[in-house]
Amino acid sequence: GIMSIPKSISVDKNKAFPLHIRGIELLGDELDSNLISYEEIKYGLPTNLKLPYNANIISFNYEGLSFTENSKLEYRITLKNEDREFNNFSSERTFTYTNLESGNYIFTVEAFNADKNLKSTIDKFEFVIKTPYWQKWWFRILVILILAGLIYLIVNNRIRSIKNKAKEMSEINRKISEFRLTALRAQMNPHFIFNALYSIQH
């Protein structure tokens, strides 16, 4: 339909004009739609949106509707998470965020006229980028346990190797002692025979 508004109508400068987030687009590489979850589609947008870690490029499309200065609107967009806040002013009606880290995000947009004396309502969109499995606590504990197990096996193997070498050295020393004793006996026997014969002779 077409709406006609006479120029003679005065505009209430204190009343905020409407603004809405019209859509979002995910631009991550090789996105698996089975890993994207949401509760329902409300006003064209998914609610309680949860994205996989590789869906970290997201584009927002928004539109303010000012009957007096619609073509001159400036948009202030904000993306907040637990650690950071991104702020931008732009006349564009689309903005793309790239390489977002995992976490809970709130995207906020509002519009102003050129003189900044007339502003829109504020629209928000909340979403979550899931933590990759290698950054989760259970994976880190598993890696620590595996590393501890490997260290234990390496140390245990080394101790066993040292004990085996010590046992081998002990066996070699015992054999050397036996050989020495045998050699000593071999040296003593001729003397004993010589002495015996000498005694018999006398």
Side-chain angles (χ1 to χ4, degrees):
I2 296 175
M3 182 181 291
S4 175
I5 301 175
K7 287 186 178 181
S8 60
I9 292 178
S10 61
V11 177
D12 184 0
K13 297 286 184 182
N14 297 319
K15 187 174 181 181
F17 58 88
L19 178 143
H20 295 289
I21 299 169
R22 297 174 60 187
I24 61 168
E25 187 177 357
L26 302 175
L27 305 171
D29 296 333
E30 299 178 2
L31 290 179
D32 186 352
S33 59
N34 295 323
L35 298 175
I36 299 171
S37 65
Y38 57 89
E39 289 180 359
E40 60 178 332
I41 300 293
K42 195 172 182 181
Y43 303 115
L45 297 173
T47 59
N48 198 20
L49 178 65
K50 293 182 179 176
L51 303 170
Y53 69 90
N54 61 340
N56 58 357
I57 303 174
I58 186 166
S59 182
F60 293 91
N61 184 271
Y62 38 85
E63 182 80 37
L65 185 60
S66 171
F67 291 120
T68 56
E69 302 180 75
N70 206 48
S71 62
K72 300 178 184 178
L73 293 180
E74 289 272 324
Y75 295 91
R76 181 169 67 186
I77 53 178
T78 305
L79 186 65
K80 295 180 183 177
N81 72 355
E82 296 94 340
D83 304 323
R84 307 179 56 182
E85 183 175 314
F86 310 87
N87 288 302
N88 290 287
F89 260 106
S90 173
S91 58
E92 297 294 324
R93 293 170 186 163
T94 301
F95 195 86
T96 302
Y97 292 96
T98 60
N99 298 323
L100 294 176
E101 297 177 355
S102 57
N104 299 326
Y105 288 90
I106 301 173
F107 174 76
T108 307
V109 59
E110 60 182 330
F112 298 85
N113 66 349
D115 298 328
K116 303 289 190 291
N117 59 3
L118 183 64
K119 70 175 189 174
S120 70
T121 57
I122 297 173
D123 202 3
K124 294 182 179 182
F125 181 78
E126 297 184 27
F127 63 98
V128 175
I129 296 179
K130 296 176 187 174
T131 305
Y133 67 88
W134 61 83
Q135 290 182 0
K136 292 185 177 178
W137 63 268
W138 61 263
F139 183 81
R140 291 177 178 175
I141 289 174
L142 183 63
V143 168
I144 290 169
L145 289 175
I146 290 171
L147 288 174
L150 286 173
I151 291 168
Y152 172 78
L153 288 174
I154 291 168
V155 170
N156 196 28
N157 192 30
R158 181 68 179 153
I159 290 171
R160 193 180 300 134
S161 174
I162 291 169
K163 283 183 178 178
N164 286 339
K165 283 183 181 178
K167 195 174 180 182
E168 286 174 7
M169 287 299 295
S170 177
E171 185 67 22
I172 289 169
N173 288 335
R174 188 183 65 78
K175 286 183 179 179
I176 288 171
S177 297
E178 284 182 1
F179 289 143
R180 281 180 179 167
L181 189 59
T182 304
L184 187 62
R185 283 177 183 165
Q187 287 176 358
M188 287 177 64
N189 284 340
H191 290 290
F192 176 74
I193 293 168
F194 177 78
N195 290 335
L197 289 172
Y198 184 75
S199 299
I200 290 168
Q201 188 180 4
H202 284 280

